[in-house]
Amino acid sequence: MQSRPFVEEHDKMFRWYEYWLKGIDNGVMDEPAVSVHVEGSREAVTGAQWPRKDVEHRPLYLRPRRALSPEPEPTGAEYAAPDGFYQAPLTVTDKVEILSWSTAPFTEPTEMIGQGAAHLFAEIDQPDTNFILRLWDEAPGGARQLITTAYLKASHRELDEERTTEGDPYHPHTRAVPVEPGRIEEYVLRVYPFGATFLPGHKLVVELSNDEPPADAHNALLPPDAFHLPVGRPVTHRIYRDAAHPPRIVLPFTRTVPSS
């Protein structure tokens, strides 16, 4: 059975086409321009534009011991050693190495609607790699819901500074710039638009890899070839998260409107 939000959005799409292609005045242009189904709360949130004006982009920092915190790491690299993983090509292994960080359980419903950015400080030993982020809502019993994703090829890390804003990086993808092996670079990934409410007791989990798992709770729902191409070479990644290299996920927290 299809969910009610899906049916409602499907109906609105057809009425939008009726208005613009057939000239049928069905009232669709009098409705809010944006309607978002919010995972977690399962509410429909409407607005006049995207992104919503009542959003505040705030960072969550990657910390030692796989923690995700509103506060940055205060110590240097000598005390906050980088995380690392080695990924062999999927031609010789079917195991995808994954690093993960998670928040403490939320104590009150926390809503996020919009797009975001991930700032990673990484060193690799090859001229290129992939950075793949997946953000999950993890319930107290361990059940997980994929919230959104972010992807970046290291050689396409260039940003258009004039078009990039906080929480919304813009990559022109006009050329490839190989990475200098052994050099620490900042990589800014665009976190795809999403809407989610993290309920009390739930955690936000961020996973990093350079390939996509061939099969897991999310990918089992996708068509057989709906994956990004793997790197095809062995790559060692070192992810720095110290005072000089503050890796963070910048997310669109909705503002709390004071009651009158």
Side-chain angles (χ1 to χ4, degrees):
M1 178 180 292
Q2 293 175 333
S3 66
R4 182 176 178 180
F6 176 85
V7 173
E8 290 176 349
E9 289 304 310
H10 200 250
D11 175 67
K12 186 171 183 177
M13 179 183 69
F14 274 107
R15 291 191 298 116
W16 188 89
Y17 279 118
E18 282 183 335
Y19 176 83
W20 287 105
L21 298 182
K22 298 181 179 180
I24 299 175
D25 188 2
N26 51 26
V28 70
M29 299 306 293
D30 299 325
E31 299 175 8
V34 176
S35 179
V36 181
H37 173 67
V38 182
E39 295 289 348
S41 66
R42 303 191 66 81
E43 295 177 343
V45 177
T46 60
Q49 65 177 29
W50 180 272
R52 289 157 49 99
K53 288 185 177 180
D54 56 348
V55 165
E56 178 184 5
H57 282 96
R58 302 204 307 262
L60 293 174
Y61 293 90
L62 279 55
R63 298 284 297 273
R65 300 181 181 87
R66 306 296 172 86
L68 200 58
S69 168
E71 302 298 328
E73 175 59 40
T75 60
E78 65 274 23
Y79 298 107
D83 287 319
F85 69 98
Y86 167 81
Q87 180 62 61
L90 297 186
T91 53
V92 299
T93 181
D94 59 0
K95 182 180 180 182
V96 173
E97 301 294 337
I98 296 175
L99 292 178
S100 66
W101 297 264
S102 65
T103 64
F106 289 92
T107 58
E108 59 184 22
T110 304
E111 185 183 69
M112 304 178 197
I113 299 176
Q115 66 277 339
H119 296 253
L120 302 177
F121 294 85
E123 170 194 342
I124 61 176
D125 64 350
Q126 297 289 337
D128 211 350
T129 190
N130 297 330
F131 291 105
I132 298 176
L133 277 181
R134 301 198 295 174
L135 279 62
W136 300 84
D137 178 344
E138 183 176 294
R144 304 202 307 172
Q145 169 74 42
L146 184 68
I147 297 301
T148 187
T149 54
Y151 303 91
L152 182 67
K153 194 171 182 65
S155 60
H156 280 248
R157 62 193 178 278
E158 282 189 319
L159 290 171
D160 184 328
E161 298 294 346
E162 292 185 357
R163 300 181 67 173
T164 292
T165 59
E166 179 71 0
D168 192 13
Y170 184 88
H171 300 87
H173 296 298
T174 54
R175 63 172 183 161
V177 181
V179 178
E180 179 183 336
R183 177 174 177 173
I184 302 174
E185 293 274 5
E186 180 178 7
Y187 300 91
V188 186
L189 289 67
R190 186 174 190 267
V191 175
Y192 287 145
F194 68 101
T197 295
F198 292 86
L199 301 176
H202 288 229
K203 298 178 180 180
L204 167 61
V205 178
V206 173
E207 291 185 340
L208 172 66
S209 62
N210 88 327
D211 283 320
E212 291 168 302
D216 63 12
H218 170 66
N219 289 347
L221 304 176
L222 299 177
D225 297 322
F227 299 94
H228 291 79
L229 291 175
V231 172
R233 64 173 68 89
V235 187
T236 298
H237 309 73
R238 291 166 64 86
I239 309 300
Y240 289 79
R241 30 153 201 64
D242 54 71
H245 308 96
R248 58 203 181 274
I249 313 295
V250 181
L251 296 174
F253 290 80
T254 57
R255 299 178 186 271
T256 299
V257 180
S259 57
S260 55

